[in-house]
Amino acid sequence: MEEKRIIVGLGEALWDCLPEGRKLGGAPANFAYHASQFGYDAYAVSAVGTDALGRETLAEFDAKGLKYEMPQVEYPTGTVQVALDESGVPAYDIKEGVAWDNIPFTPRLEDMARRCRAVCFGSLAQRNEASRQTIYRFLDATPKDCLRIFDINLRQNFYSKDVIRESLMRCNVLKINDEELVLIGRMFGYPGLDFENKCWLILGKYDLDMLVLTCGVNGSYVFSRGAMSYLETPKVTVADTVGAGDSFTGAFVSSILSGKSVPDAHRIAVNVSAFVCTQNGAMPELPEDLKK
């Protein structure tokens, strides 16, 4: 009997210190949480400190029913100061030299990689060599049919051309937003192209199965070989946008894995993301009708 295959969010686990208080976050954990809401066996994979905040992290995941693989390391648990502007859009101050910069590649992690049917990773957790090598070793150990989603998540100055190129070569799905696409266009030397042509170029150049482009209130696109899906962003009352993109990715990947077409998966992702924008924090429980 084949071992049960899993979904993994791999990278930073941290506390968003918001104006109204601390909330557990980090894109990989947010992604795993939303995939788990669709009934998948999903894990947040990172590292925490041996400090009180590390213990609180694991207790919070337990309370949310989210599975995790989080070795304790001799670095402080990650925190981020988050300031929201009047539209609820976050700006981040991400502390360095923390636990998730130092995720060890363990035999347990190698086993998880071999059983992985989808893994989501970003650029932020690759800012330090230790976690970057763990991420690459994990990706390289996944099965051929594993969805490897590079949710680029450019933050502050914690990325480089080399890291982005390496990640594009290791993924088969790219998730990017409109601002990041402009930056990538400049970085890789095709600033003059319109956004659609940039997306088709990246899809072809890196032999991707899909490229997901989110444009905030201006809608979202999914480019797949020979087809494009566009949907408008629903108009909702925004509480904050923290984790909205991660919920989009979690819902989209879960829907693709369950056999939905790209347009159907896209619609589910848009609706889930819109709901998350109406809630505070990155990990609200989804209403039943959205999970169907």
Side-chain angles (χ1 to χ4, degrees):
M1 194 175 81
E2 192 192 13
E3 280 188 288
K4 195 166 181 191
R5 292 186 66 186
I6 58 174
I7 294 179
V8 167
L10 174 59
E12 63 274 15
L14 44 82
W15 288 85
D16 289 320
C17 303
L18 294 145
E20 74 273 12
R22 272 204 324 254
K23 282 201 160 58
L24 188 57
N30 298 340
F31 164 81
Y33 174 73
H34 288 290
S36 76
Q37 292 205 83
F38 285 87
Y40 285 95
D41 199 14
Y43 288 79
V45 173
S46 187
V48 292
T50 55
D51 47 16
L53 215 46
R55 292 189 291 278
E56 208 178 315
T57 304
L58 304 184
E60 184 89 1
F61 285 145
D62 287 336
K64 289 201 172 290
L66 177 59
K67 296 175 179 176
Y68 53 83
E69 177 62 22
M70 301 248 167
Q72 289 186 304
V73 294
E74 294 300 321
Y75 294 88
T77 299
T79 55
V80 180
Q81 292 301 132
V82 184
L84 301 174
D85 70 12
E86 60 278 5
S87 316
V89 175
Y92 304 93
D93 175 22
I94 305 164
K95 301 295 176 245
E96 295 189 64
V98 293
W100 59 260
D101 283 317
N102 296 279
I103 306 166
F105 190 72
T106 60
R108 166 98 179 125
L109 225 53
E110 188 169 8
D111 173 62
M112 292 177 84
R114 294 191 194 293
R115 294 190 292 125
C116 202
R117 57 188 305 198
V119 53
C120 186
F121 67 104
S123 60
L124 179 57
Q126 297 186 57
R127 67 181 181 177
N128 189 45
E129 177 76 14
S131 288
R132 183 161 68 245
Q133 288 308 318
T134 292
I135 288 168
Y136 292 167
R137 288 177 72 183
F138 188 98
L139 294 170
D140 293 349
T142 57
K144 219 178 184 66
D145 65 348
C146 177
L147 278 183
R148 293 178 293 278
I149 305 101
F150 180 35
D151 188 350
I152 195 165
N153 256 334
L154 301 180
R155 294 281 182 259
Q156 289 170 221
N157 57 341
F158 297 128
Y159 56 89
S160 69
K161 190 172 177 178
D162 284 348
V163 160
I164 290 166
R165 188 190 287 110
E166 275 292 326
S167 299
L168 285 168
M169 287 164 66
R170 280 179 159 88
C171 76
N172 46 32
V173 179
L174 172 64
K175 161 92 175 352
I176 192 167
N177 68 31
D178 47 353
E179 290 171 8
E180 291 163 343
L181 186 65
V182 171
L183 280 168
I184 296 302
R186 284 195 204 124
M187 193 183 276
F188 285 91
Y190 31 88
L193 293 176
D194 68 23
F195 77 89
E196 281 190 36
N197 280 323
K198 272 185 200 146
C199 290
W200 287 123
L201 182 70
I202 293 166
L203 189 85
K205 185 175 168 64
Y206 294 98
D207 194 25
L208 305 177
D209 295 328
M210 287 175 275
L211 186 155
V212 179
L213 173 68
T214 57
C215 305
V217 295
N218 298 315
S220 56
Y221 301 77
V222 181
F223 297 82
S224 53
R225 299 172 194 212
M228 183 187 82
S229 168
Y230 167 75
L231 286 172
E232 288 182 7
T233 301
K235 289 180 173 47
V236 295
T237 305
V238 175
D240 69 51
T241 61
V242 180
D246 306 322
S247 71
F248 184 110
T249 314
F252 181 76
V253 169
S254 300
S255 303
I256 290 290
L257 288 176
S258 73
K260 297 263 189 305
S261 67
V262 167
D264 286 349
H266 187 187
R267 183 165 299 285
I268 292 163
V270 163
N271 291 337
V272 165
S273 177
F275 171 78
V276 171
C277 286
T278 68
Q279 308 294 303
N280 281 313
M283 298 189 195
E285 187 160 345
L286 297 177
E288 283 306 315
D289 63 318
L290 281 180
K291 295 190 224 179
K292 288 181 186 136

